[in-house]
Amino acid sequence: MKARIVALLAALLIAVPAAAQDQAGTIEGMVKDSSGAVLPGVTVEAKAAPGSRSTVTDESGTYRFPALPPGRYEIVATLQGFSTVTRQG
């Protein structure tokens, strides 16, 4: 009986990290100027406590932050010659 309980607990401990990874989400979007043209080369940051991640938009103006932990993020987009844009929530 004890061996079954230990085996069950071991299986649950292995399953918990896998379940936690399933909780991760993705933030993605496209950066365009006021005329609707896509903007490649924009630095985009996803900020949340305790840190942040950054990426650069591709040739189609798209950015993606995969596998982010759940939470509220502030997204900041910067490109020389343009105003910085911040989105929260």
Side-chain angles (χ1 to χ4, degrees), residues 2-81:
K2 286 185 182 181
R4 285 185 183 177
I5 293 173
V6 171
L8 178 59
L9 288 175
L12 289 175
L13 290 175
I14 292 169
V16 170
Q21 290 174 354
D22 288 343
Q23 298 294 324
T26 299
I27 296 176
E28 56 189 355
M30 183 179 290
V31 179
K32 298 180 180 181
D33 68 12
S34 59
S35 72
V38 297
L39 292 173
V42 177
T43 300
V44 182
E45 290 182 89
K47 298 180 177 182
S52 67
R53 294 188 194 176
S54 70
T55 189
V56 176
T57 57
D58 62 16
E59 63 278 350
S60 64
T62 302
Y63 65 90
R64 187 168 198 267
F65 295 100
L68 290 173
R72 296 182 64 86
Y73 288 85
E74 177 180 82
I75 305 298
V76 180
T78 56
L79 181 64
Q80 188 173 359

